[in-house]
């Protein structure tokens, strides 16, 4: 093992520097593609929601809040999630409930929605509140979170590449191709559904419905641009 | 035209001879422009001439990337790498490059252990040097349990080294307020002598030993939210030889 440490100690250290020289307002599609591409380079993993819809995510987070007690813990969060998963066949289809539950809870933590004791954070609380009071704000916040912190720019980048290279003519082919590409790049592992991913993107308004003429899910670059450049406020 | 640059503000730890690679992504302006010049001006300690890159043509994708490398010199200490200058239309925008701390191998290992402990939620300060502990650490949830951490790169951890570390603990514990000793070895469990493991098994509850690979495993489990603070404190607070077993076995 000392040789592994020595190799890591001797390995090159990479520093990423980005430089932007402001000019006239360029076309939103082009700058957004650059922004997305730049974020893509920084992405190593996608926060996969394990087939949860955006409203199921809010429902589960709210359930966490309501279950908070002195004895609440990471394990309790997993237990509650496993019970939730068992009641939803679409979510349970990708594996054993407890395994999916661990994955979901870990994803919530990686997104900053819960802390490492399983308690819902202030950001998670805000999302829960918005899901009940202000659905637009909820969708904006969640979309921003997934794009900026959850690595979902990688999904959009791969989708865009498939369109540009005209690699798929049918919805089924597109979904299969997306699945393969995201797995090959290591962004998502294990059993998962690209259809569920596309559904989340559509619910968040980041892509449109299937366009049978153009054979694609149109990407809403303006919305993506607005979300990625907006300041995140707590 | 305003220039915006994002240069990480960090201190890079490394050994002499380590390569630092700068990946610079330049988003090109849409208006007419002649040239953009990127200059890396290094500190004198590095003995390297400045590097200059000139971008004079737009690209199809609207941005271009530059790769610049530098090797850390054979000189222990902390230095600023230098300055990055962006020259466009007569405007010069300078930015500081990150700092580097060049360490010996032992020092680098001590820093790596301290970094691991911080990632586990500990408040860890590296002292190093003669007559000083390698690291003093405590967890915010157990402030009274101050740990002296000795990080060792010996190729084999034997009874003589164990006695030396115990002796150092007793010499320094009153001065630094430490209540327990944690030894972190670079080598794996097979290179910790049986005699040391026997002593650990029957010694008092202030002494523990963990191999670095197991400390990293603990950090990975904590980072992936498989365990919480309570379990981390319990594991590192255990007396004796500490081995970390993940959910799926060692």
């Amino acid at each position: 093992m000392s040789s592994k440490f020595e190799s890591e100690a001797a390995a090159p250290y990479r520093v990423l520097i980005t430089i932007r020289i402001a000019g006239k307002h360029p076309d939103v599609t082009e700058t957004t593609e650059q922004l997305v591409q730049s974020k893509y380079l920084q992405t190593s993993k996608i926060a996969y929601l394990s087939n949860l819809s955006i409203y199921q995510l809010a429902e589960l987070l709210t359930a966490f809040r309501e279950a908070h007690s002195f004895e609440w813990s990471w394990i309790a969060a997993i237990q509650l999630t496993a019970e939730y998963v068992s009641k939803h066949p679409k979510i349970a289809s990708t594996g054993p409930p407890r395994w999916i539950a661990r994955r979901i809870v870990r994803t919530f933590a990686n997104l900053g929605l819960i802390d490492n004791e399983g308690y819902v954070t202030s950001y998670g609380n805000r999302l829960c509140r918005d899901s009940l009071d202000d659905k637009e704000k909820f969708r904006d916040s969640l979309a921003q979170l997934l794009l900026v912190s959850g690595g979902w720019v990688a999904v959009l980048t791969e989708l865009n590449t498939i369109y540009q290279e005209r690699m798929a003519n049918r919805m089924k082919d597109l979904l299969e191709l997306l699945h393969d590409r995201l797995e090959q790049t290591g962004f998502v592992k294990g059993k998962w559904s690209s259809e569920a991913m596309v559904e989340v993107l559509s619910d968040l308004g980041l892509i449109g419905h299937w366009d049978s003429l153009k054979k694609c899910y149109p990407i809403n670059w303006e919305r993506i641009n607005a979300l990625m450049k907006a300041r995140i406020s707590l | 035209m305003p220039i915006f640059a994002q240069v990480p503000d960090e201190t890079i730890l490394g050994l002499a001879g380590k390569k630092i690679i700068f990946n610079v992504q330049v988003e090109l302006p849409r208006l007419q422009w002649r040239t953009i010049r990127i200059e890396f001006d290094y500190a004198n300690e590095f003995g390297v001439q400045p590097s200059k890159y000139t971008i004079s043509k737009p690209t199809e994708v609207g941005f271009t990337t530059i790769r610049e490398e530098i090797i850390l010199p054979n000189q222990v200490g902390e230095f600023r790498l230098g300055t990055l200058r962006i020259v466009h239309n007569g405007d010069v925008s300078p930015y500081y490059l990150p700092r580097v701390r060049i360490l010996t191998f032992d020092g680098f290992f001590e820093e790596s252990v301290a970094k691991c402990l911080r990632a586990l939620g500990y408040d860890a300060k590296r002292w190093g040097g003669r007559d000083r502990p390698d690291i003093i650490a405590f967890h915010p949830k157990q402030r009274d349990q101050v740990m002296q951490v000795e990080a060792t790169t010996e190729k084999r951890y034997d009874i003589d080294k164990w006695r030396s570390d115990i002796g150092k603990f007793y010499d320094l514990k009153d001065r630094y307020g430490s209540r327990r000793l944690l030894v972190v070895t670079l080598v794996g469990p097979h290179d910790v002598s049986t005699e040391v493991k026997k002593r650990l098994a029957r010694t008092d509850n202030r002494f523990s030993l963990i191999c670095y690979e197991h400390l990293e495993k603990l950090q990975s489990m904590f980072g992936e939210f498989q365990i919480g603070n309570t379990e981390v404190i319990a594991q590192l607070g255990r007396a004796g030889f500490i081995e970390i077993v993940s959910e799926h076995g060692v």
Side-chain angles (χ1 to χ4, degrees):
Chain A
M1 195 48 75
S2 63
S3 62
K4 182 188 172 218
F5 179 81
E6 280 162 356
S7 321
E8 281 172 6
Y13 186 92
R14 291 169 200 280
V15 180
L16 177 65
I17 296 173
T18 46
I19 296 171
R20 191 173 146 255
I21 299 165
K24 247 194 212 164
H25 289 298
D27 180 72
V28 70
T29 310
E30 287 173 0
T31 49
T32 313
E33 279 185 43
Q34 287 170 34
L35 193 66
V36 162
Q37 178 66 17
S38 161
K39 195 81 184 114
Y40 175 83
L41 291 173
Q42 298 166 32
T43 301
S44 58
K45 225 192 236 182
I46 289 173
Y48 180 57
L49 300 178
S50 304
N51 291 5
L52 280 172
S53 73
I54 61 174
Y55 298 108
Q56 284 171 334
L57 182 154
E59 210 173 77
L60 193 50
L61 215 52
T62 309
F64 279 19
R65 277 177 69 192
E66 284 164 8
H68 277 180
S69 67
F70 187 68
E71 283 141 359
W72 184 249
S73 66
W74 184 262
I75 307 289
I78 293 176
Q79 183 60 34
L80 191 141
T81 310
E83 283 163 14
Y84 185 90
V85 165
S86 313
K87 293 178 192 157
H88 294 84
K90 194 177 168 193
I91 307 170
S93 64
T94 53
R98 200 161 174 88
W99 181 83
I100 297 171
R102 266 203 295 273
R103 197 178 184 177
I104 290 172
V105 172
R106 206 177 305 148
T107 301
F108 280 9
N110 287 340
L111 289 171
L113 297 172
I114 63 173
D115 63 18
N116 60 4
E117 302 285 349
Y119 287 95
V120 180
T121 60
S122 52
Y123 192 80
N125 278 327
R126 198 176 73 123
L127 215 62
C128 288
R129 189 195 64 215
D130 289 343
S131 71
L132 297 168
D133 299 341
D134 188 341
K135 296 253 181 320
E136 273 311 311
K137 206 169 166 193
F138 165 70
R139 288 169 67 230
D140 287 349
S141 301
L142 185 58
Q144 198 174 49
L145 181 68
L146 291 178
L147 284 174
V148 175
S149 310
W152 281 57
V153 284
V155 184
L156 293 166
T157 316
E158 295 297 339
L159 258 181
N160 197 39
T161 309
I162 295 169
Y163 298 160
Q164 285 176 349
E165 294 175 15
R166 299 184 204 285
M167 290 158 90
N169 282 324
R170 298 185 306 161
M171 193 194 297
K172 185 167 174 273
D173 293 341
L174 179 93
L175 292 173
E176 272 172 20
L177 209 50
L178 181 66
H179 185 282
D180 292 341
R181 287 182 73 101
L182 289 175
E183 240 181 24
Q184 271 164 27
T185 42
F187 288 132
V188 197
K189 286 180 185 165
K191 220 171 155 196
W192 59 280
S193 159
S194 53
E195 205 179 319
M197 227 173 214
V198 160
E199 215 173 282
V200 168
L201 287 172
S202 175
D203 286 345
L204 293 174
L206 298 173
I207 60 174
H209 296 298
W210 176 256
D211 185 331
S212 49
L213 259 174
K214 291 184 186 166
K215 311 286 181 208
C216 69
Y217 291 99
I219 299 177
N220 190 344
W221 292 115
E222 279 199 32
R223 177 162 166 75
I224 293 164
N225 188 46
L227 288 170
M228 285 181 76
K229 289 195 169 171
R231 216 176 295 161
I232 297 167
S233 60
L234 270 173
Chain B
M1 272 180 239
I3 296 172
F4 305 101
Q6 246 178 316
V7 184
D9 179 21
E10 57 182 341
T11 302
I12 302 167
L13 302 179
L15 303 172
K18 186 177 181 74
K19 197 186 281 188
I20 310 288
I21 299 174
F22 295 101
N23 287 322
V24 185
Q25 183 170 291
V26 186
E27 200 181 301
L28 304 171
R30 298 274 296 166
L31 280 182
Q32 290 277 352
W33 53 278
R34 282 205 212 112
T35 55
I36 298 165
R37 209 164 66 239
I38 312 289
E39 297 175 359
F40 286 86
D41 199 1
Y42 296 105
N44 294 335
E45 286 82 6
F46 296 90
V48 173
Q49 294 297 319
S51 298
K52 293 181 189 178
Y53 298 87
T54 304
I55 307 162
S56 52
K57 276 192 277 193
T59 62
E60 274 179 29
V61 293
F63 65 90
T64 192
T65 50
I66 291 166
R67 183 185 155 112
E68 164 73 3
E69 294 179 5
I70 187 168
I71 308 277
L72 297 183
N74 192 5
Q75 199 175 349
V76 170
E78 182 162 333
F79 319 99
R80 169 104 27 216
L81 267 169
T83 332
L84 171 74
R85 263 199 291 274
I86 305 159
V87 184
H88 170 63
N89 277 1
D91 293 329
V92 180
S93 298
Y95 294 87
Y96 278 128
L97 289 171
R99 299 185 71 82
V100 288
R101 199 183 305 158
I102 304 173
L103 301 156
T104 58
F105 186 71
D106 287 349
F108 186 77
F109 182 60
E110 287 168 17
E111 284 285 357
S112 303
V113 170
K115 191 175 164 187
C116 225
L117 289 170
R118 285 182 207 118
L120 284 163
Y122 281 77
D123 205 309
K125 180 178 159 65
R126 178 187 165 236
W127 290 84
R130 291 185 81 162
D131 298 328
R132 300 206 300 191
D134 288 351
I135 299 160
I136 291 288
F138 64 89
H139 198 282
K141 292 191 175 190
Q142 258 193 351
R143 288 180 176 271
D144 57 327
Q145 292 296 317
V146 176
M147 255 186 337
Q148 179 176 328
V149 183
E150 293 297 318
T152 173
T153 57
E154 301 281 322
K155 293 221 180 311
R156 183 156 176 78
Y157 193 84
D158 58 21
I159 195 71
D160 290 331
K161 184 70 180 98
W162 170 245
R163 286 192 188 116
S164 163
D165 285 337
I166 295 273
K168 192 177 175 188
F169 168 73
Y170 281 117
D171 286 343
L172 299 173
K173 70 180 181 61
D174 292 332
R175 209 189 311 168
Y176 291 89
S178 34
R179 291 177 69 170
R180 45 181 310 103
L181 169 69
L182 174 70
V183 174
V184 182
T185 63
L186 179 57
V187 295
H190 297 297
D191 291 308
V192 175
S193 79
T194 321
E195 186 57 38
V196 169
K197 287 179 186 167
K198 279 186 194 163
R199 293 286 176 105
L200 278 162
R202 56 172 202 255
T203 196
D204 76 33
N205 63 2
R206 286 183 295 171
F207 305 131
S208 320
L209 187 147
I210 187 169
C211 301
Y212 185 67
E213 62 190 80
H214 285 262
L215 189 64
E216 276 192 315
K217 195 187 284 186
L218 193 67
Q219 183 198 335
S220 168
M221 287 164 72
F222 183 71
E224 289 176 8
F225 302 96
Q226 290 176 34
I227 54 172
N229 286 315
T230 315
E231 187 149 352
V232 167
I233 294 169
Q235 289 283 9
L236 290 183
R238 258 199 292 147
F241 187 64
I242 303 171
E243 284 189 290
I244 306 298
V245 179
S246 62
E247 272 180 355
H248 308 290
V250 176

